[in-house]
Amino acid sequence: MDDRLPYYMAYPMPLLYDDDRIARRDLDYMKSLYPAAAKRLIPYIEEECDRLEYEGSMMYDEYPDQLQLRLMCRRIYDQVAQEEENPGEWLKDLIQVMAYQELCNRRSEYRNFKRKFY
């Protein structure tokens, strides 16, 4: 009997979409390290970004409109301020930073997705 392994088993190739899975796992881990105040904001920010995630959305414009981005952050702030005991300018700033980071991640995923299938 021949004990040699086929070439494809001896030198395993990385999976085609393994990089995306690793990047998503890394992002989820980093989000789990957020402070408590930031963790409370994640669902609101993700919900608002989910609402904007459609073909032709301003989210995917080359230069998203600053007014629309600020209005999006204001909607998030209005929802969170009802539950937060001491909302202030720091909360608005934190929402903006987290929302823009989430938008950047989703834009990157969208570009990578389009590149693979078109």
Side-chain angles (χ1 to χ4, degrees):
M1 201 148 78
D2 194 8
D3 289 339
R4 290 181 293 167
L5 290 173
Y7 177 78
Y8 65 88
M9 291 180 75
Y11 303 101
M13 302 262 312
L15 296 175
L16 182 60
Y17 302 109
D18 202 35
D19 293 339
D20 294 339
R21 186 182 58 80
I22 291 170
R24 173 51 66 183
R25 187 181 68 201
D26 191 36
L27 180 64
D28 289 341
Y29 174 71
M30 295 309 271
K31 282 183 179 181
S32 73
L33 298 177
Y34 283 178
K39 281 184 183 178
R40 289 192 303 268
L41 297 176
I42 291 174
Y44 297 102
I45 292 169
E46 288 180 346
E47 178 185 339
E48 190 67 28
C49 288
D50 288 344
R51 195 177 67 75
L52 291 175
E53 200 165 15
Y54 57 88
E55 191 68 34
S57 171
M58 70 96 180
M59 178 192 302
Y60 302 122
D61 290 345
E62 186 174 353
Y63 297 103
D65 184 35
Q66 290 184 12
L67 176 63
Q68 292 297 322
L69 292 175
R70 288 190 180 127
L71 289 173
M72 177 189 74
C73 292
R74 184 61 189 204
R75 283 192 300 268
I76 296 169
Y77 176 79
D78 290 342
Q79 291 175 353
V80 173
Q82 296 171 355
E83 299 175 9
E84 196 69 29
E85 60 192 46
N86 188 13
E89 201 63 34
W90 68 271
L91 185 61
K92 290 179 185 178
D93 293 341
L94 182 60
I95 288 172
Q96 279 189 328
V97 170
M98 290 179 66
Y100 297 162
Q101 179 66 36
E102 183 68 22
L103 286 174
C104 187
N105 288 334
R106 290 180 186 228
R107 287 166 55 101
S108 176
E109 288 175 1
Y110 179 77
R111 281 191 298 268
N112 290 338
F113 178 76
K114 284 188 77 164
R115 191 176 305 131
K116 288 179 184 169
F117 293 106
Y118 295 114

